[in-house]
Amino acid sequence: MRSFAGPSVAGRKVLITGAARGIGAALARKLAAHGAHVALLGIEPELLAEVAAECGDVPWRYCDVADRAQVERVVPALVAELGGLDVLVANAGIAKQMAMIGGDPSVLEETLAVNVLGVAYVVQAAGGYLAHPRGYVLMMSSVATAVQYPLGGAYTAAAAAVASLGATLRSELRSTGAKVGVSYFAGIDTEMTVRGFDTRAAHTILGGTSLTGASPVGPAVDAIEVAIARRRKTVVSPWWVVLVRPFRLLAQLVVQRLQGNRVARAVEIARVEEVPFTTVQPARPRRMERQ
């Protein structure tokens, strides 16, 4: 049974980045089950191969989206295997806590490299194939563009940049008939969320609880499927994100009040706490070396 009425994703040619697990993998499975032709990119070959097999042995490639040369080589190859491209879901992203003062600046560099430059590189490599009346690009941002949280500066900055890139691309593609969407998700129950918030510093801020609890992956994936079928401008999950975004200043004040005086202690912990990125990253040159 279809999860929604109206336009279908059947027959759409879809390229998904960050497709080894989480939202990317779940989306690939759902779209393939509903008749879309999918191709997958990621940096975890074994997991990618499993997802590709579950989707009907669809094409996939290892690709570090922060490496422009790799992206420029791999994207055209996958588009050729698909026989064209209708949809790009720029889903690849990472997160890691970072204190703005006393934190590791490489966290910011790596996050921007994957979450912002990686999106831009993939869009640039795929854009020529998508500039047609059925074309659609979906960029993954976050509710963090509306409500910023302590230790999340790197991720929040990247989310805001992606939203801005989406608005710019929407204007530039309008004459071609292609459309651009941006997702604003909050606390989806994936390994990215679990790893990102399973830290001493994060638990300190939350006071041992969560403001909303993790939201299931299913509704988020359903929302993306509908967005692809209807080429929607905005995608949200869970539903309450719709209420937060127009009242971002009030929401920010509420969050700050709930956090109380726990933030200062959490920042102290974060400065010394060793935590990994939500996805282990390949070795790549530092972009901003000190002279």
Side-chain angles (χ1 to χ4, degrees):
M1 181 179 294
R2 297 209 56 75
S3 58
F4 63 92
S8 168
V9 298
R12 306 284 180 97
K13 299 169 182 176
V14 185
L15 174 60
I16 305 171
T17 71
R21 50 192 167 94
I23 290 176
L27 177 64
R29 296 185 189 101
K30 169 153 269 192
L31 294 183
H34 289 170
H37 307 293
V38 300
L40 317 177
L41 289 184
I43 58 172
E44 298 168 295
E46 292 184 1
L47 293 178
L48 275 174
E50 291 178 8
V51 175
E54 292 167 356
C55 293
D57 293 321
V58 300
W60 65 273
R61 292 286 192 286
Y62 173 95
C63 184
D64 174 11
V65 295
D67 185 327
R68 182 160 54 90
Q70 282 189 43
V71 173
E72 291 175 347
R73 181 177 65 253
V74 170
V75 168
L78 278 180
V79 172
E81 289 194 51
L82 282 175
L85 190 63
D86 299 310
V87 180
L88 168 64
V89 180
N91 170 72
I94 58 174
K96 183 176 179 179
Q97 69 185 23
M98 181 195 74
M100 287 298 298
I101 299 175
D104 181 356
S106 69
V107 173
L108 178 60
E109 295 167 15
E110 288 285 297
T111 304
L112 295 178
V114 176
N115 296 19
V116 181
L117 294 180
V119 169
Y121 294 157
V122 173
V123 167
Q124 289 174 331
Y129 305 104
L130 291 163
H132 59 79
R134 283 171 52 87
Y136 181 66
V137 179
L138 179 61
M139 299 183 180
M140 309 295 278
S141 184
S142 169
V143 71
T145 59
V147 181
Q148 291 75 47
Y149 50 90
L151 307 180
Y155 182 81
T156 299
V162 168
S164 294
L165 289 175
T168 299
L169 183 64
R170 186 176 297 120
S171 296
E172 294 181 0
L173 285 178
R174 182 171 290 118
S175 64
T176 70
K179 295 187 178 181
V180 177
V182 178
S183 73
Y184 298 93
F185 291 166
I188 306 302
D189 189 12
T190 64
E191 290 181 347
M192 182 169 178
T193 298
V194 172
R195 292 181 183 183
F197 289 93
D198 189 20
T199 68
R200 287 176 54 221
H203 287 301
T204 299
I205 291 173
L206 296 173
T209 62
S210 172
L211 295 178
T212 61
S215 301
V217 175
V221 172
D222 290 344
I224 295 175
E225 182 184 12
V226 173
I228 290 172
R230 299 178 179 174
R231 300 195 303 157
R232 284 186 168 171
K233 179 179 178 180
T234 302
V235 192
V236 302
S237 186
W239 65 268
W240 54 259
V241 174
V242 173
L243 304 178
V244 171
R245 293 184 67 230
F247 301 101
R248 59 190 66 191
L249 295 179
L250 177 60
Q252 185 74 53
L253 289 174
V254 170
V255 169
Q256 289 175 350
R257 180 64 62 88
L258 290 173
Q259 290 166 349
N261 59 8
R262 296 190 297 268
V263 175
R265 176 56 183 154
V267 170
E268 291 179 2
I269 294 171
R271 287 172 179 155
V272 296
E273 185 177 19
E274 294 290 336
V275 297
F277 273 106
T278 48
T279 301
V280 177
Q281 294 299 290
R284 60 175 71 98
R286 291 286 296 276
R287 295 176 180 273
M288 301 171 63
E289 297 290 350
R290 289 186 179 274
Q291 299 299 320

